[in-house]
Amino acid sequence: MIIKPSNTLKIRHHKVLDAYFAERINTPQYKSSDEKEPVKHKVVSGDTLSKIAKKYSTTVAKIKADNGLTSDTIYVGKTLSIGSQPKKEKIGDKVTFKSLKSANLGDEVYVVVKTSNLANKKVWLNVNQGKEKGVVEKDTPMTLQKEDKELTRPEAIVGAYAKDDKITNKTDFKDWAIFKITLGGKDTKKEREALDKLKGKKTFMYLLIDAHSPNNVKVVYNGKNPDKEGEPDKRNTPNYWLDIDGKWFELKKGCDCGEEDFNKKFECTRYGTAYGPVYWGSEKLADYKYWDKLIKERKVTKEEKEILVGMSENEGKLDSVQSYDSEILTVGAMQKTVNSKGKGEFTIQVEEFKKNNPNKYKELFENCGWTVEGGIMYYKDPSDSNSTKITGKKLKLKIREGFKSTEFKKMLKCKPLESIVKASKDEDFKIKQVQDFIDRLKKKVLPIKPKGYNYSLDNYLKSNLGKATILDHHINRPAYVKTDFGKALDNFFSKKNKEIEEFNKKEKDKSKHKTKISKNPIEWGESHSDYEKEILDDYGVNRRGTDMKNRYNKMKDKF
């Protein structure tokens, strides 16, 4: 090729365009297969059969036939079968990166470096101290971890993510170098002590990106080329990001549990011969200040609020935490537990919170030593670099250290549970508690069929008192609900049938004879509320559990 003076040449410079801290977000992607899977629809407030039929492109008649319905009446919480649809198969994840402005010491984060004309090239990274001395001296790189190795200068290859077949949008990253790092080394004691002395227990960091040294090429940084001749700037390499006011990355100490807020606030209590800590809490479900917000956002209905508030006096506080019985620990108004194997309803609750609120999960649990892995809850003392994660009997003993007969009724520290109390006071986690109450009522309690009967509890219980009573029992003695409500129904039908038999014996006019009450509560009609009240007055006081008569009478007064 001959170059003439009049020719315009395009010079493809190696460039680094942008760099920032980020959180990785995976969104599962699916494809339809030839296999079929059943379609289920859970009835919500406002649903009708015609609306549901229109939504799924079917007919009211078919829905009724598939679900054995004899009328168009449906109830909130009921699950309906709606034919089938092609089964979805996961083909991978769509990956996106959300910019982070701050993180805690010990957090796992990503650093995204966007480039041009640097495919398959190495990129080096330093996370440097900004402004003034913090965890290290100013303009000095802090220690990081990458793939469980400590280092100050990790490297990544531009376009590595573009070769990952598990990422459905992998071509988006052909010009990106992506680092997955942990902020801090394996022992962060010195850094934590340094952060303790700083205002707000935080410091400011910036990124230094180097793509020229490892590749021995000239690189233009920040997407700019200040040289008039079209060459990269030979005077200085402006390869810093986030190094100015308003852009600094905040590195925070993280969990402060055990240092101030809950110091010596756990009472040493006794259960049989066992001693352990209890924090009784201060926040009643009835006093939850965001009820109106939840109702406005349609996360809770007014009726559901009344049900929960009505039974709340019988339950613990939203922020109550204890460890003195057979379980490792028990938390919140619903008294969810972590059992002796590290599993249980609280473990499930935290695992769901982790999925929906990953950053808050890190802040409230992970940074304070608590993790959920594979359906099991673990604890590792975050201030002890030599500690290992524990669960089961070891965790129970760790929590109860120092709680013994000589300390009975005294107020003591309990570091592992201090972070759990802090989490239970968090607004997002309290929302999770409230929603779990509703989910428990709808998904676990009302679908129960009493022993010996073919109809679920949602068909028998239409009143708020009824729903509050059954939920109260299920929270405290879930294994007895099915049997005890069935027994109350047995008593009701036995009593009513006897009354009807005696009436018919006395009444000579057969045209006035009464028929037995249907065991299908849907057919009770206008008598439903009277029948339900009679059943509840028996079930409420005779159901098995602690102080059930008094608990029921308190709820009756509420309603």
Side-chain angles (χ1 to χ4, degrees), residues 6 202 302:
S6 60
K202 63 183 180 182
K302 289 182 179 179

Side-chain angles (χ1 to χ4, degrees), residues 418-481:
E418 284 157 1
S419 53
I420 300 296
V421 172
K422 182 178 178 181
S424 68
K425 289 178 177 291
D426 177 78
E427 292 307 326
D428 288 326
F429 199 71
K430 281 192 282 190
I431 289 174
K432 175 64 177 165
Q433 283 199 61
V434 171
Q435 289 176 324
D436 279 0
F437 266 116
I438 301 301
D439 287 345
R440 186 179 193 131
L441 177 64
K442 290 179 177 178
K443 298 176 182 179
K444 293 186 177 181
V445 182
L446 293 179
I448 292 173
K449 291 182 180 179
K451 186 177 180 180
Y453 293 85
N454 297 323
Y455 301 93
S456 54
L457 288 171
D458 59 342
N459 291 309
Y460 294 101
L461 301 172
K462 301 301 178 186
S463 70
N464 289 352
L465 173 60
K467 293 172 183 175
T469 304
I470 205 78
L471 179 59
D472 172 69
H473 196 198
H474 195 270
I475 289 170
N476 291 277
R477 296 291 188 275
Y480 296 151
V481 170

Side-chain angles (χ1 to χ4, degrees), residues 117 119 132 176 225 323 414 428 486:
N117 200 31
E132 57 191 8
W176 293 23
N225 188 342
S323 175
C414 182
D428 288 326

Side-chain angles (χ1 to χ4, degrees), residues 357-520:
N357 299 271
N359 289 334
K360 265 295 177 69
Y361 166 79
K362 283 183 180 180
E363 176 189 338
L364 298 174
F365 294 97
E366 194 173 287
N367 292 339
C368 298
W370 290 96
T371 55
V372 176
E373 302 168 37
I376 297 174
M377 199 155 192
Y378 297 93
Y379 176 74
K380 178 181 181 295
D381 188 341
S383 63
D384 181 0
S385 60
N386 295 317
S387 67
T388 57
K389 64 180 184 181
I390 55 175
T391 191
K393 186 177 180 180
K394 287 184 178 179
L395 178 53
K396 186 190 289 187
L397 292 173
K398 175 71 174 175
I399 291 171
R400 300 179 187 184
E401 276 181 353
F403 289 82
K404 50 192 177 182
S405 59
T406 55
E407 307 298 318
F408 185 53
K409 291 293 183 180
K410 292 181 181 179
M411 304 303 290
L412 307 172
K413 278 178 61 65
C414 182
K415 184 177 179 180
L417 293 191
E418 284 157 1
S419 53
I420 300 296
V421 172
K422 182 178 178 181
S424 68
K425 289 178 177 291
D426 177 78
E427 292 307 326
D428 288 326
F429 199 71
K430 281 192 282 190
I431 289 174
K432 175 64 177 165
Q433 283 199 61
V434 171
Q435 289 176 324
D436 279 0
F437 266 116
I438 301 301
D439 287 345
R440 186 179 193 131
L441 177 64
K442 290 179 177 178
K443 298 176 182 179
K444 293 186 177 181
V445 182
L446 293 179
I448 292 173
K449 291 182 180 179
K451 186 177 180 180
Y453 293 85
N454 297 323
Y455 301 93
S456 54
L457 288 171
D458 59 342
N459 291 309
Y460 294 101
L461 301 172
K462 301 301 178 186
S463 70
N464 289 352
L465 173 60
K467 293 172 183 175
T469 304
I470 205 78
L471 179 59
D472 172 69
H473 196 198
H474 195 270
I475 289 170
N476 291 277
R477 296 291 188 275
Y480 296 151
V481 170
K482 185 174 183 177
T483 302
D484 290 1
F485 199 87
K487 186 175 181 181
L489 288 175
D490 289 342
N491 293 340
F492 170 75
F493 286 116
S494 176
K495 178 185 175 184
K496 288 297 180 185
N497 289 340
K498 188 174 181 181
E499 289 175 356
I500 290 169
E501 287 174 6
E502 290 176 354
F503 176 85
N504 291 344
K505 282 181 182 179
K506 293 178 181 179
E507 179 56 60
K508 295 180 180 180
D509 186 349
K510 291 186 177 182
S511 65
K512 295 181 180 179
H513 280 193
K514 296 179 181 179
T515 57
K516 290 183 178 181
I517 297 171
S518 172
K519 291 196 173 183
N520 180 357

Side-chain angles (χ1 to χ4, degrees), residues 37-55:
E37 63 180 358
V39 177
K40 302 291 184 181
H41 177 88
K42 181 174 279 294
V43 179
V44 298
S45 180
D47 271 352
T48 63
L49 286 180
S50 58
K51 284 183 181 179
I52 297 169
K54 185 176 180 180
K55 178 179 179 180

Side-chain angles (χ1 to χ4, degrees), residues 92-110:
D93 290 303
K94 180 180 179 181
V95 174
T96 54
F97 290 92
K98 181 181 178 183
S99 177
L100 287 177
K101 304 300 181 186
S102 66
N104 295 323
L105 185 67
D107 276 1
E108 188 175 78
V109 298
Y110 288 81

